[in-house]
Amino acid sequence: MDFSAYLQRYQSELTDNVIPFWENHCIDHKYGGYFTMLDRDGSVYDTEKYMWMQWRIVYMFATLSMTEYRKDNFIDIAKQGFDFLTRFGKSEDGTYYFALNQRGEPSVAPYNIFSDCFAAMGAAALYRADGGEIYRREAESAMNNYIRRMDNPKGRWEKNLPGRKKRLSLGHYIILANLGNVMKENLNTDQFDEDTDRAIKTVMKKFYNPDLNILFENVNVDGSFDLESCDGRMINPGHGLESMWFVLQYAEKHNDRELIDQAANIIKKLLEFGIDKTYGGIYYFMDALQKPHLELQWDMKLWWPHNEALIATLYAYRLTGDEYFLQKFIEIDQYSFAHFKDPDYPEWFAYLNRRGEATHMLKGGKWKTFFHLPRALFVCAEQMKQLL
Amino acid sequence: MDFSAYLQRYQSELTDNVIPFWENHCIDHKYGGYFTMLDRDGSVYDTEKYMWMQWRIVYMFATLSMTEYRKDNFIDIAKQGFDFLTRFGKSEDGTYYFALNQRGEPSVAPYNIFSDCFAAMGAAALYRADGGEIYRREAESAMNNYIRRMDNPKGRWEKNLPGRKKRLSLGHYIILANLGNVMKENLNTDQFDEDTDRAIKTVMKKFYNPDLNILFENVNVDGSFDLESCDGRMINPGHGLESMWFVLQYAEKHNDRELIDQAANIIKKLLEFGIDKTYGGIYYFMDALQKPHLELQWDMKLWWPHNEALIATLYAYRLTGDEYFLQKFIEIDQYSFAHFKDPDYPEWFAYLNRRGEATHMLKGGKWKTFFHLPRALFVCAEQMKQLL
């Protein structure tokens, strides 16, 4: 297998297509920060500034400014976002609001700890790119807020009461593992290593169900599985695949062959479970026992699970040499470029129906920003270079 | 047009198909209250007791116990739900939790005023069916809680901050109009007449946009429209159709011909806007300016908008004589019975994709219970009898 043509296509997609779309359309030159609700042609259809989407742009431009794909303006794009978000985005206790309006006035309360998570990632990448202490301080502050809030993530906005069984959520742990790695790489620190180790162990021991051989989204605090309820049975294949390439990344650094094999096995099972055998592509939500799903959009095909699947399969192939993963990478690559790539405008579609037809023309939204796709193109290109 | 065959079909669907499904499967004989997460064959796939779903069952069985479709057990089914819900469902300030677990322990906080709304409806119908003062007191208490909470519906769970423009929500007003009518009919009282009048006026004056000739879901407090944001542009055709048959019901009682014509015009526009010209059926969510919708499932076809459309078109036909509405009723009836009705098991499917194929096998869920469908069959049968 010669990855040259793939590498060229991924690099070109990143630099000629995806990056320019965001460079040209996402910057709010009037108020600072970014527009993320971008229509097919890049026009703005809503000006709300959602913190996850904003900080992910900071992270991605700062990260790309340290790569061969850099252009001089990347660091400035990231810094202007940082300035806007740190000036307007913090609530009284230092945690980040969920959203600001265009002018920077808080519009949605700081009920969500992933706002702090992505702030930490963005600031950490800026620190490595620029060296300014202000970025390091912000990264550590946001990271500590994230860790501090993990036990009660929604704080006073928590609606669940004791009658609902308390659950652990895969997202909170796997993101901590990823965050720990981002902090280590960008801040050159080992202060979060223990948190990272703990997060990886929790994911592999508590969220993986060996009987059903699948990775769950929500488990009981004691590590048991609640197969009687919808949220207890929920499987999110794309999220599982994202989690597993984080684990592979960790395992490679620790030279942990057993962990690599465990993660590779889970990737295999998630693909077998999550790929639509009729129309191709990966389902969004599933039920571990094939019972009805409460989410209306469970059978839709979203861009980001496919981005994560590209990384997970290529990573697993490089670390295990198992041809199964190469074959799956080729399949998902074909599906993604045939269905998500817009033939007429830059950037990818976000949402397809089960048959693989685009249901929305938007290129950015409340949940899609400059993040999963450029990260996948960049990380896959890095894998390909190593494979070459 | 002879409605005899339609009438027979609607009555049979109600008594031979829909009612027995819920009679047989929804009652929790062990703990009280109801199961609503019912799979295709009636088996229970989750035991959570969501207050909207629970009280709507009370309302519907109590209401049907006063009709020609009654069976002796209907009132007992309603009463056992009332007992369970009033015993376990109330928070400290008398408002209703959003959900209980199977045993009746509060599982989700009372952040949603529609829990009080449906409690008021259920208790009011029970009062008329049974005469017990306990039901009347509960209906008035829940109704007053609903009205009291309208200015700040989410209370301490409100996440929106001043940076987000305060909006009025169609649902809060049209439900008040419907509730006022339910209270008047069941409690034989005029104490909520002013609230009802105010709600109807607000809906027709503030939510209807004469320039775009469409009914909006969210408007600015001053009655202006925010066409720059997704929530400001949101149209929900099924919800608009439901709203308009509530208005027709009110207008008929007040013998208000002008209001009948206004509501009929809005129904026409909602149908023209909301019907899928390619595959038939009514879209779930739309954007007034055809910009991207943030909801993934915007193009799905849900059972309840079609139920509401059946009532709205038949009501409008009876009150205006305009053949347009008859034609649309026939179309929506054909679509509904061809796509939502399950050929192999009782009760209707809840969710179809844009092409009209069922995406879920569930018959009841977190949002589907014994309510929209039996109400539509019952109200349409009443319209047909009058048309005959």
Side-chain angles (χ1 to χ4, degrees):
Chain A
M1 174 78 185
D2 181 1
F3 279 102
S4 312
Y6 278 94
L7 177 58
Q8 200 185 355
R9 176 155 55 85
Y10 274 59
Q11 290 180 324
S12 154
E13 189 68 9
L14 181 63
T15 57
D16 303 336
N17 183 350
V18 178
I19 293 175
F21 179 86
W22 293 92
E23 260 184 295
N24 293 335
H25 300 298
C26 84
I27 302 161
D28 183 347
H29 293 285
K30 187 168 179 191
Y31 291 102
Y34 313 105
F35 299 116
T36 69
M37 261 76 89
L38 299 175
D39 209 343
R40 187 176 191 183
D41 59 359
S43 60
V44 176
Y45 63 87
D46 191 310
T47 57
E48 194 81 356
K49 288 169 176 168
Y50 292 101
M51 211 52 72
W52 295 24
M53 302 298 107
Q54 300 284 314
W55 274 112
R56 283 168 159 182
I57 298 179
V58 174
Y59 171 78
M60 196 48 62
F61 272 112
T63 298
L64 289 170
S65 80
M66 298 178 279
T67 69
E68 66 192 277
Y69 312 107
R70 71 179 161 277
K71 285 175 27 193
D72 289 345
N73 59 337
F74 287 6
I75 187 86
D76 296 327
I77 294 175
K79 281 184 180 178
Q80 78 87 3
F82 179 93
D83 293 344
F84 177 85
L85 296 169
T86 49
R87 180 168 173 203
F88 295 112
K90 282 186 191 188
S91 69
E92 275 176 22
D93 70 352
T95 60
Y96 278 97
Y97 293 110
F98 188 73
L100 309 174
N101 67 18
Q102 188 183 0
R103 292 181 299 279
E105 294 152 351
S107 58
V108 184
Y111 73 92
N112 189 296
I113 68 170
F114 292 114
S115 304
D116 301 309
C117 151
F118 296 115
M121 284 176 66
L126 255 178
Y127 173 72
R128 185 153 68 107
D130 176 89
E133 271 305 313
I134 184 176
Y135 304 121
R136 184 185 190 102
R137 278 200 302 276
E138 188 54 41
E140 289 177 347
S141 147
M143 179 72 176
N144 285 322
N145 280 336
Y146 179 85
I147 292 172
R148 176 176 59 76
R149 294 176 79 185
M150 275 185 77
D151 285 336
N152 184 18
K154 293 191 183 162
R156 76 171 188 80
W157 292 277
E158 179 60 62
K159 291 175 190 160
N160 286 347
L161 299 175
R164 177 161 291 191
K165 220 178 261 179
K166 210 169 145 68
R167 308 245 199 247
L168 304 179
S169 163
L170 175 63
H172 292 140
Y173 290 89
I174 197 63
I175 274 283
L176 178 60
N178 178 239
L179 264 180
N181 183 56
V182 169
M183 294 298 123
K184 195 173 181 71
E185 282 189 349
N186 287 288
L187 305 186
N188 194 23
T189 176
D190 56 12
Q191 66 176 309
F192 301 112
D193 285 3
E194 275 181 37
D195 295 303
T196 310
D197 296 343
R198 178 169 60 91
I200 294 280
K201 279 201 187 75
T202 304
V203 168
M204 299 306 279
K205 294 228 168 108
K206 290 201 166 168
F207 290 91
Y208 173 66
N209 182 321
D211 298 331
L212 293 164
N213 204 353
I214 194 87
L215 193 73
F216 278 68
E217 284 295 306
N218 305 300
V219 300
N220 296 327
V221 174
D222 64 6
S224 64
F225 297 89
D226 178 3
L227 298 177
E228 300 300 312
S229 76
C230 289
D231 72 317
R233 290 190 302 267
M234 181 188 267
I235 310 292
N236 181 329
H239 197 220
L241 292 167
E242 181 180 25
S243 304
M244 287 305 106
W245 77 257
F246 291 160
V247 173
L248 287 178
Q249 196 177 40
Y250 173 94
E252 184 180 20
K253 283 191 185 148
H254 290 74
N255 201 15
D256 186 338
R257 174 53 49 186
E258 193 186 334
L259 188 55
I260 288 172
D261 290 340
Q262 282 171 359
N265 165 59
I266 295 176
I267 290 173
K268 208 173 270 195
K269 295 302 165 187
L270 284 166
L271 291 169
E272 282 168 19
F273 195 79
I275 287 179
D276 179 350
K277 274 101 191 157
T278 308
Y279 296 106
I282 298 163
Y283 290 118
Y284 187 19
F285 294 121
M286 302 184 80
D287 185 284
L289 300 181
Q290 323 273 6
K291 290 181 190 268
H293 211 295
L294 290 180
E295 299 286 341
L296 274 66
Q297 65 272 33
W298 76 272
D299 70 350
M300 290 179 72
K301 312 292 166 64
L302 277 67
W303 89 104
W304 71 260
H306 295 77
N307 293 163
E308 301 307 319
L310 290 170
I311 303 178
T313 49
L314 208 51
Y315 228 123
Y317 175 61
R318 183 172 63 77
L319 294 186
T320 67
D322 185 341
E323 295 285 325
Y324 171 89
F325 295 112
L326 177 60
Q327 190 50 48
K328 287 296 165 195
F329 169 77
I330 292 169
E331 277 175 36
I332 296 158
D333 170 80
Q334 279 172 349
Y335 181 90
S336 298
F337 277 78
H339 295 273
F340 286 109
K341 186 169 162 60
D342 182 346
D344 300 322
Y345 287 86
E347 250 285 351
W348 288 17
F349 295 122
Y351 307 120
L352 315 176
N353 63 23
R354 189 177 163 194
R355 280 180 170 81
E357 300 156 337
T359 55
H360 297 61
M361 292 296 111
L362 65 84
K363 297 300 175 60
K366 185 175 174 182
W367 307 109
K368 183 168 188 280
T369 185
F370 184 57
F371 185 67
H372 286 97
L373 177 55
R375 184 173 73 172
L377 295 169
F378 171 68
V379 176
C380 284
E382 293 302 298
Q383 304 301 308
M384 290 169 190
K385 283 193 240 168
Q386 293 187 55
L387 285 160
L388 281 164
Chain B
M1 175 78 187
D2 181 1
F3 279 102
S4 312
Y6 277 94
L7 177 59
Q8 198 185 357
R9 177 155 53 86
Y10 275 58
Q11 289 180 326
S12 153
E13 189 69 10
L14 181 63
T15 56
D16 303 336
N17 184 350
V18 179
I19 292 174
F21 179 86
W22 293 91
E23 261 185 294
N24 292 335
H25 302 297
C26 85
I27 301 162
D28 183 348
H29 293 285
K30 185 166 180 194
Y31 292 101
Y34 313 105
F35 300 116
T36 68
M37 263 76 89
L38 299 174
D39 209 345
R40 189 176 191 182
D41 59 359
S43 60
V44 176
Y45 62 88
D46 191 310
T47 57
E48 193 81 356
K49 289 172 177 166
Y50 292 100
M51 210 51 72
W52 295 23
M53 302 297 106
Q54 299 284 314
W55 275 113
R56 283 168 159 182
I57 299 180
V58 175
Y59 170 77
M60 195 50 61
F61 272 112
T63 298
L64 289 170
S65 80
M66 298 179 276
T67 69
E68 66 192 277
Y69 313 108
R70 71 181 162 276
K71 285 174 30 193
D72 288 346
N73 59 336
F74 288 5
I75 188 85
D76 296 326
I77 295 176
K79 280 184 182 177
Q80 77 85 4
F82 178 94
D83 293 344
F84 177 85
L85 296 169
T86 50
R87 178 165 173 206
F88 295 111
K90 281 186 190 188
S91 70
E92 276 176 22
D93 70 352
T95 61
Y96 278 96
Y97 292 112
F98 188 72
L100 309 174
N101 67 19
Q102 187 181 0
R103 294 181 299 279
E105 294 152 352
S107 58
V108 184
Y111 72 91
N112 190 296
I113 67 171
F114 292 114
S115 305
D116 301 308
C117 151
F118 296 115
M121 282 175 65
L126 255 179
Y127 173 71
R128 186 151 69 106
D130 176 88
E133 272 304 313
I134 184 176
Y135 304 120
R136 181 183 192 104
R137 278 199 302 275
E138 189 52 42
E140 287 177 348
S141 149
M143 178 72 177
N144 286 322
N145 280 336
Y146 180 85
I147 294 172
R148 175 175 62 75
R149 294 176 78 185
M150 276 186 76
D151 284 337
N152 183 19
K154 293 190 184 163
R156 75 172 190 79
W157 293 276
E158 178 60 63
K159 291 175 189 159
N160 285 347
L161 299 174
R164 177 159 291 190
K165 220 179 262 179
K166 209 170 147 65
R167 308 244 200 248
L168 304 179
S169 162
L170 175 64
H172 291 140
Y173 290 89
I174 198 62
I175 274 284
L176 178 60
N178 179 239
L179 265 180
N181 183 57
V182 170
M183 293 300 123
K184 196 176 179 67
E185 280 187 351
N186 287 288
L187 305 185
N188 195 22
T189 175
D190 55 11
Q191 66 175 307
F192 300 112
D193 284 3
E194 275 181 37
D195 296 302
T196 310
D197 297 342
R198 177 169 61 91
I200 294 280
K201 280 200 186 75
T202 304
V203 168
M204 299 306 279
K205 293 224 168 108
K206 289 200 167 170
F207 289 89
Y208 173 65
N209 181 322
D211 298 332
L212 293 164
N213 205 353
I214 195 90
L215 193 74
F216 278 68
E217 284 295 307
N218 304 300
V219 300
N220 296 326
V221 175
D222 63 6
S224 63
F225 298 89
D226 179 3
L227 299 177
E228 300 301 312
S229 77
C230 290
D231 72 317
R233 290 191 301 268
M234 180 187 267
I235 310 293
N236 182 328
H239 197 222
L241 291 167
E242 180 180 26
S243 304
M244 287 305 106
W245 76 257
F246 290 161
V247 172
L248 286 178
Q249 195 176 41
Y250 173 93
E252 183 180 20
K253 283 192 185 147
H254 290 75
N255 201 15
D256 186 339
R257 175 53 50 186
E258 195 186 333
L259 187 57
I260 288 172
D261 290 341
Q262 283 172 359
N265 165 60
I266 294 176
I267 290 172
K268 207 173 270 193
K269 296 302 164 185
L270 285 165
L271 292 169
E272 282 168 18
F273 195 80
I275 288 179
D276 179 349
K277 273 103 192 155
T278 308
Y279 296 106
I282 299 164
Y283 290 118
Y284 188 18
F285 293 121
M286 303 184 80
D287 185 285
L289 301 181
Q290 322 273 3
K291 289 178 190 270
H293 212 294
L294 292 179
E295 300 286 341
L296 275 63
Q297 65 273 31
W298 75 272
D299 71 350
M300 290 180 71
K301 312 292 166 62
L302 277 68
W303 90 103
W304 70 262
H306 295 77
N307 293 163
E308 301 306 318
L310 289 170
I311 303 178
T313 49
L314 207 52
Y315 227 122
Y317 175 61
R318 184 173 62 77
L319 294 185
T320 67
D322 186 342
E323 294 285 325
Y324 171 89
F325 295 113
L326 178 60
Q327 191 49 48
K328 287 295 163 196
F329 169 78
I330 292 170
E331 278 175 35
I332 297 159
D333 170 80
Q334 279 173 349
Y335 181 90
S336 298
F337 278 79
H339 295 274
F340 287 107
K341 185 170 163 60
D342 182 345
D344 300 321
Y345 288 86
E347 249 286 351
W348 289 18
F349 296 122
Y351 307 120
L352 315 177
N353 64 21
R354 190 177 161 195
R355 281 179 170 81
E357 300 156 339
T359 56
H360 296 62
M361 291 297 110
L362 65 83
K363 298 300 175 60
K366 187 175 173 182
W367 306 109
K368 183 169 189 280
T369 185
F370 184 57
F371 185 66
H372 285 97
L373 177 55
R375 183 173 73 172
L377 295 169
F378 171 67
V379 175
C380 284
E382 293 302 297
Q383 305 299 309
M384 290 168 190
K385 284 193 238 165
Q386 293 188 52
L387 284 160
L388 282 163

